[in-house]
Short mmCIF file of all heavy atoms in Angstrom, two decimals:
data_model
loop_
_atom_site.label_atom_id
_atom_site.label_comp_id
_atom_site.label_asym_id
_atom_site.label_seq_id
_atom_site.Cartn_x
_atom_site.Cartn_y
_atom_site.Cartn_z
N LYS O 1 0.84 -1.21 0.01
CA LYS O 1 -0.01 0.00 0.01
C LYS O 1 0.86 1.27 0.00
O LYS O 1 0.51 2.29 0.56
CB LYS O 1 -0.96 0.01 1.19
CG LYS O 1 -1.91 -1.17 1.23
CD LYS O 1 -2.81 -1.11 2.42
CE LYS O 1 -3.71 -2.32 2.46
NZ LYS O 1 -3.43 -3.22 3.53
N ALA O 2 2.03 1.18 -0.66
CA ALA O 2 2.96 2.30 -0.72
C ALA O 2 2.40 3.43 -1.57
O ALA O 2 1.67 3.19 -2.53
CB ALA O 2 4.30 1.82 -1.28
N THR O 3 2.80 4.65 -1.23
CA THR O 3 2.50 5.80 -2.07
C THR O 3 3.77 6.36 -2.68
O THR O 3 3.71 7.26 -3.52
CB THR O 3 1.81 6.93 -1.26
OG1 THR O 3 2.68 7.30 -0.18
CG2 THR O 3 0.47 6.44 -0.72
N ALA O 4 4.94 5.84 -2.28
CA ALA O 4 6.22 6.26 -2.84
C ALA O 4 7.19 5.10 -2.89
O ALA O 4 7.28 4.32 -1.92
CB ALA O 4 6.80 7.40 -2.02
N ILE O 5 7.87 4.97 -4.02
CA ILE O 5 8.91 3.96 -4.20
C ILE O 5 10.17 4.70 -4.62
O ILE O 5 10.15 5.53 -5.53
CB ILE O 5 8.50 2.90 -5.23
CG1 ILE O 5 7.26 2.14 -4.76
CG2 ILE O 5 9.66 1.92 -5.49
CD1 ILE O 5 6.71 1.17 -5.78
N ASN O 6 11.27 4.38 -3.95
CA ASN O 6 12.58 4.99 -4.26
C ASN O 6 13.55 3.93 -4.71
O ASN O 6 13.63 2.84 -4.12
CB ASN O 6 13.14 5.69 -3.01
CG ASN O 6 12.28 6.84 -2.58
OD1 ASN O 6 12.00 7.74 -3.35
ND2 ASN O 6 11.82 6.79 -1.34
N TYR O 7 14.28 4.25 -5.77
CA TYR O 7 15.28 3.36 -6.35
C TYR O 7 16.59 4.11 -6.42
O TYR O 7 16.64 5.24 -6.92
CB TYR O 7 14.80 2.93 -7.74
CG TYR O 7 15.87 2.28 -8.60
CD1 TYR O 7 16.27 0.96 -8.37
CD2 TYR O 7 16.48 2.97 -9.64
CE1 TYR O 7 17.23 0.37 -9.15
CE2 TYR O 7 17.43 2.39 -10.44
CZ TYR O 7 17.81 1.09 -10.18
OH TYR O 7 18.78 0.50 -10.97
N THR O 8 17.67 3.52 -5.91
CA THR O 8 18.98 4.14 -5.98
C THR O 8 20.01 3.11 -6.43
O THR O 8 19.92 1.95 -6.07
CB THR O 8 19.43 4.74 -4.63
OG1 THR O 8 19.47 3.71 -3.65
CG2 THR O 8 18.53 5.85 -4.16
N LEU O 9 20.94 3.60 -7.23
CA LEU O 9 22.06 2.76 -7.65
C LEU O 9 23.32 3.59 -7.47
O LEU O 9 23.41 4.71 -7.99
CB LEU O 9 21.92 2.33 -9.11
CG LEU O 9 22.97 1.32 -9.59
CD1 LEU O 9 22.39 0.42 -10.66
CD2 LEU O 9 24.22 1.99 -10.10
N ASN O 10 24.25 3.08 -6.72
CA ASN O 10 25.54 3.72 -6.50
C ASN O 10 26.63 2.75 -6.90
O ASN O 10 26.54 1.55 -6.62
CB ASN O 10 25.74 4.09 -5.03
CG ASN O 10 24.78 5.17 -4.59
OD1 ASN O 10 24.73 6.24 -5.19
ND2 ASN O 10 23.99 4.89 -3.56
N CYS O 11 27.65 3.27 -7.60
CA CYS O 11 28.79 2.41 -7.95
C CYS O 11 30.04 3.24 -7.97
O CYS O 11 30.17 4.20 -8.72
CB CYS O 11 28.55 1.76 -9.31
SG CYS O 11 29.90 0.60 -9.73
N ASP O 12 30.95 2.86 -7.09
CA ASP O 12 32.30 3.40 -7.11
C ASP O 12 33.17 2.25 -7.57
O ASP O 12 33.29 2.01 -8.75
CB ASP O 12 32.68 3.92 -5.72
CG ASP O 12 33.95 4.75 -5.72
OD1 ASP O 12 34.67 4.73 -6.74
OD2 ASP O 12 34.23 5.42 -4.72
N SER O 13 33.70 1.47 -6.65
CA SER O 13 34.42 0.26 -7.06
C SER O 13 33.49 -0.95 -7.08
O SER O 13 33.70 -1.90 -7.82
CB SER O 13 35.60 0.00 -6.15
OG SER O 13 35.16 -0.18 -4.80
N LYS O 14 32.42 -0.90 -6.27
CA LYS O 14 31.40 -1.94 -6.26
C LYS O 14 30.04 -1.27 -6.28
O LYS O 14 29.89 -0.13 -5.87
CB LYS O 14 31.52 -2.81 -5.01
CG LYS O 14 32.80 -3.59 -4.93
CD LYS O 14 32.83 -4.52 -3.76
CE LYS O 14 34.11 -5.34 -3.79
NZ LYS O 14 34.06 -6.42 -2.84
N PHE O 15 29.04 -1.98 -6.78
CA PHE O 15 27.70 -1.37 -6.86
C PHE O 15 26.84 -1.74 -5.67
O PHE O 15 27.02 -2.78 -5.03
CB PHE O 15 26.98 -1.73 -8.17
CG PHE O 15 26.67 -3.19 -8.35
CD1 PHE O 15 25.58 -3.78 -7.70
CD2 PHE O 15 27.44 -3.99 -9.17
CE1 PHE O 15 25.28 -5.11 -7.87
CE2 PHE O 15 27.14 -5.33 -9.34
CZ PHE O 15 26.07 -5.90 -8.70
N GLU O 16 25.92 -0.84 -5.38
CA GLU O 16 24.87 -1.09 -4.39
C GLU O 16 23.58 -0.56 -5.00
O GLU O 16 23.53 0.55 -5.50
CB GLU O 16 25.12 -0.41 -3.06
CG GLU O 16 23.97 -0.67 -2.09
CD GLU O 16 24.10 0.09 -0.78
OE1 GLU O 16 24.70 1.17 -0.75
OE2 GLU O 16 23.56 -0.43 0.22
N ILE O 17 22.54 -1.39 -4.96
CA ILE O 17 21.24 -1.03 -5.49
C ILE O 17 20.23 -1.17 -4.36
O ILE O 17 20.22 -2.16 -3.65
CB ILE O 17 20.84 -1.96 -6.66
CG1 ILE O 17 21.92 -1.98 -7.75
CG2 ILE O 17 19.48 -1.55 -7.23
CD1 ILE O 17 21.73 -3.07 -8.80
N ARG O 18 19.38 -0.15 -4.21
CA ARG O 18 18.34 -0.18 -3.19
C ARG O 18 17.00 0.17 -3.81
O ARG O 18 16.92 1.05 -4.64
CB ARG O 18 18.61 0.81 -2.08
CG ARG O 18 19.74 0.45 -1.19
CD ARG O 18 19.90 1.49 -0.11
NE ARG O 18 21.03 1.12 0.72
CZ ARG O 18 20.98 1.10 2.04
NH1 ARG O 18 19.89 1.44 2.67
NH2 ARG O 18 22.04 0.73 2.73
N ILE O 19 15.98 -0.53 -3.34
CA ILE O 19 14.62 -0.16 -3.67
C ILE O 19 13.85 -0.15 -2.36
O ILE O 19 13.94 -1.11 -1.57
CB ILE O 19 14.02 -1.09 -4.75
CG1 ILE O 19 12.71 -0.53 -5.28
CG2 ILE O 19 13.90 -2.51 -4.29
CD1 ILE O 19 12.30 -1.10 -6.62
N SER O 20 13.16 0.92 -2.10
CA SER O 20 12.45 1.05 -0.82
C SER O 20 11.08 1.68 -1.06
O SER O 20 10.84 2.33 -2.08
CB SER O 20 13.25 1.89 0.18
OG SER O 20 13.46 3.19 -0.32
N ASP O 21 10.19 1.45 -0.08
CA ASP O 21 8.86 2.05 -0.18
C ASP O 21 8.45 2.58 1.18
O ASP O 21 9.09 2.28 2.18
CB ASP O 21 7.84 1.05 -0.73
CG ASP O 21 7.59 -0.15 0.19
OD1 ASP O 21 7.29 0.08 1.38
OD2 ASP O 21 7.69 -1.29 -0.28
N ASN O 22 7.40 3.35 1.17
CA ASN O 22 6.87 3.92 2.41
C ASN O 22 5.58 3.19 2.84
O ASN O 22 4.74 3.76 3.51
CB ASN O 22 6.58 5.41 2.27
CG ASN O 22 5.47 5.70 1.28
OD1 ASN O 22 5.07 4.84 0.49
ND2 ASN O 22 4.96 6.92 1.31
N GLY O 23 5.47 1.95 2.44
CA GLY O 23 4.24 1.20 2.67
C GLY O 23 4.06 0.65 4.08
O GLY O 23 4.70 1.11 5.03
N SER O 24 3.21 -0.34 4.17
CA SER O 24 2.81 -0.87 5.47
C SER O 24 3.89 -1.69 6.17
O SER O 24 3.83 -1.89 7.38
CB SER O 24 1.56 -1.71 5.32
OG SER O 24 1.78 -2.77 4.40
N GLY O 25 4.87 -2.19 5.41
CA GLY O 25 5.90 -3.02 6.02
C GLY O 25 5.34 -4.32 6.55
O GLY O 25 4.15 -4.63 6.40
N PHE O 26 6.20 -5.11 7.19
CA PHE O 26 5.76 -6.37 7.79
C PHE O 26 6.70 -6.75 8.91
O PHE O 26 7.82 -6.26 9.00
CB PHE O 26 5.68 -7.49 6.74
CG PHE O 26 6.98 -7.82 6.05
CD1 PHE O 26 7.83 -8.79 6.53
CD2 PHE O 26 7.36 -7.13 4.89
CE1 PHE O 26 9.03 -9.09 5.89
CE2 PHE O 26 8.55 -7.43 4.24
CZ PHE O 26 9.38 -8.41 4.75
N GLU O 27 6.20 -7.61 9.79
CA GLU O 27 7.01 -8.11 10.91
C GLU O 27 7.95 -9.17 10.37
O GLU O 27 7.51 -10.25 9.97
CB GLU O 27 6.12 -8.74 12.00
CG GLU O 27 5.36 -7.75 12.83
CD GLU O 27 6.24 -7.06 13.85
OE1 GLU O 27 7.39 -7.50 14.12
OE2 GLU O 27 5.79 -6.04 14.38
N MET O 28 9.23 -8.89 10.33
CA MET O 28 10.18 -9.81 9.73
C MET O 28 10.31 -11.11 10.53
O MET O 28 10.46 -12.18 9.95
CB MET O 28 11.55 -9.15 9.59
CG MET O 28 11.52 -8.05 8.53
SD MET O 28 13.10 -7.29 8.21
CE MET O 28 14.10 -8.67 7.70
N GLU O 29 10.22 -11.02 11.84
CA GLU O 29 10.40 -12.21 12.67
C GLU O 29 9.22 -13.17 12.57
O GLU O 29 9.38 -14.38 12.64
CB GLU O 29 10.62 -11.83 14.13
CG GLU O 29 11.89 -11.05 14.39
CD GLU O 29 11.74 -9.58 14.08
OE1 GLU O 29 10.61 -9.04 14.17
OE2 GLU O 29 12.73 -8.95 13.70
N SER O 30 8.02 -12.64 12.43
CA SER O 30 6.84 -13.50 12.48
C SER O 30 6.24 -13.78 11.11
O SER O 30 5.33 -14.60 11.01
CB SER O 30 5.79 -12.87 13.40
OG SER O 30 5.38 -11.62 12.89
N THR O 31 6.72 -13.13 10.06
CA THR O 31 6.16 -13.35 8.73
C THR O 31 6.87 -14.50 8.05
O THR O 31 8.10 -14.55 8.00
CB THR O 31 6.29 -12.06 7.88
OG1 THR O 31 5.60 -11.02 8.52
CG2 THR O 31 5.73 -12.27 6.49
N LYS O 32 6.09 -15.42 7.54
CA LYS O 32 6.65 -16.55 6.82
C LYS O 32 7.09 -16.07 5.45
O LYS O 32 6.37 -15.38 4.74
CB LYS O 32 5.59 -17.65 6.66
CG LYS O 32 6.09 -18.86 5.95
CD LYS O 32 4.99 -19.89 5.76
CE LYS O 32 5.52 -21.01 4.90
NZ LYS O 32 4.48 -21.79 4.31
N LYS O 33 8.34 -16.44 5.09
CA LYS O 33 8.83 -16.06 3.77
C LYS O 33 8.05 -16.82 2.70
O LYS O 33 7.81 -18.02 2.84
CB LYS O 33 10.32 -16.42 3.63
CG LYS O 33 11.24 -15.48 4.33
CD LYS O 33 12.68 -15.65 3.92
CE LYS O 33 13.18 -17.05 4.03
NZ LYS O 33 14.58 -17.21 3.74
N GLY O 34 7.71 -16.11 1.69
CA GLY O 34 6.99 -16.75 0.57
C GLY O 34 7.96 -17.08 -0.57
O GLY O 34 9.17 -16.89 -0.46
N ASN O 35 7.39 -17.52 -1.67
CA ASN O 35 8.20 -17.88 -2.82
C ASN O 35 9.01 -16.69 -3.35
O ASN O 35 10.12 -16.86 -3.82
CB ASN O 35 7.32 -18.43 -3.94
CG ASN O 35 6.78 -19.80 -3.62
OD1 ASN O 35 7.35 -20.52 -2.80
ND2 ASN O 35 5.67 -20.15 -4.20
N GLY O 36 8.43 -15.50 -3.29
CA GLY O 36 9.10 -14.31 -3.79
C GLY O 36 10.42 -14.05 -3.08
O GLY O 36 11.46 -13.86 -3.73
N LEU O 37 10.41 -14.04 -1.75
CA LEU O 37 11.64 -13.79 -0.99
C LEU O 37 12.63 -14.93 -1.16
O LEU O 37 13.83 -14.70 -1.29
CB LEU O 37 11.32 -13.55 0.49
CG LEU O 37 10.62 -12.25 0.84
CD1 LEU O 37 10.29 -12.18 2.31
CD2 LEU O 37 11.45 -11.06 0.43
N ASP O 38 12.14 -16.16 -1.15
CA ASP O 38 13.02 -17.30 -1.38
C ASP O 38 13.69 -17.21 -2.77
O ASP O 38 14.88 -17.47 -2.90
CB ASP O 38 12.26 -18.63 -1.28
CG ASP O 38 11.95 -19.01 0.15
OD1 ASP O 38 12.62 -18.50 1.07
OD2 ASP O 38 11.04 -19.85 0.34
N ASN O 39 12.91 -16.84 -3.75
CA ASN O 39 13.44 -16.72 -5.11
C ASN O 39 14.47 -15.59 -5.20
O ASN O 39 15.51 -15.73 -5.85
CB ASN O 39 12.28 -16.46 -6.07
CG ASN O 39 12.55 -16.95 -7.45
OD1 ASN O 39 13.57 -17.58 -7.72
ND2 ASN O 39 11.63 -16.67 -8.35
N MET O 40 14.21 -14.48 -4.52
CA MET O 40 15.17 -13.38 -4.49
C MET O 40 16.49 -13.83 -3.86
O MET O 40 17.57 -13.51 -4.37
CB MET O 40 14.59 -12.18 -3.72
CG MET O 40 13.47 -11.48 -4.43
SD MET O 40 12.55 -10.32 -3.38
CE MET O 40 13.75 -9.04 -3.13
N GLU O 41 16.42 -14.58 -2.78
CA GLU O 41 17.62 -15.05 -2.11
C GLU O 41 18.41 -16.03 -3.00
O GLU O 41 19.63 -15.97 -3.07
CB GLU O 41 17.29 -15.70 -0.77
CG GLU O 41 16.82 -14.68 0.26
CD GLU O 41 16.35 -15.30 1.55
OE1 GLU O 41 16.31 -16.56 1.67
OE2 GLU O 41 15.99 -14.53 2.46
N TRP O 42 17.69 -16.92 -3.70
CA TRP O 42 18.34 -17.86 -4.61
C TRP O 42 19.05 -17.10 -5.74
O TRP O 42 20.18 -17.38 -6.08
CB TRP O 42 17.32 -18.84 -5.17
CG TRP O 42 17.91 -19.75 -6.18
CD1 TRP O 42 18.64 -20.89 -5.95
CD2 TRP O 42 17.85 -19.60 -7.61
NE1 TRP O 42 19.04 -21.45 -7.15
CE2 TRP O 42 18.58 -20.68 -8.18
CE3 TRP O 42 17.28 -18.66 -8.45
CZ2 TRP O 42 18.74 -20.83 -9.55
CZ3 TRP O 42 17.44 -18.81 -9.81
CH2 TRP O 42 18.15 -19.89 -10.36
N ARG O 43 18.33 -16.12 -6.32
CA ARG O 43 18.93 -15.34 -7.41
C ARG O 43 20.15 -14.55 -6.93
O ARG O 43 21.14 -14.43 -7.68
CB ARG O 43 17.89 -14.41 -8.01
CG ARG O 43 16.86 -15.17 -8.83
CD ARG O 43 15.96 -14.21 -9.59
NE ARG O 43 15.05 -14.92 -10.43
CZ ARG O 43 15.36 -15.44 -11.62
NH1 ARG O 43 16.57 -15.32 -12.09
NH2 ARG O 43 14.45 -16.07 -12.35
#
């Protein structure tokens, strides 16, 4: 339910890419990872 999404890419000697939102978030400790997060970790 985000109203803003921010994307940043920085690269000096190594790159860092971030994507963030201002949405509802979730409880990381109690939320079961779904296929999406598992797939992101595998990739």
Side-chain angles (χ1 to χ4, degrees):
K1 300 180 182 111
T3 59
I5 297 174
N6 296 304
Y7 166 76
T8 59
L9 187 149
N10 293 304
C11 184
D12 192 347
S13 60
K14 295 185 177 191
F15 64 79
E16 179 185 29
I17 306 169
R18 288 181 182 229
I19 191 161
S20 61
D21 65 53
N22 66 344
S24 58
F26 61 91
E27 286 284 346
M28 291 184 59
E29 295 81 28
S30 62
T31 300
K32 181 183 173 199
K33 284 194 307 185
N35 289 336
L37 290 176
D38 284 341
N39 208 4
M40 290 167 69
E41 290 175 357
W42 176 81
R43 287 188 176 282

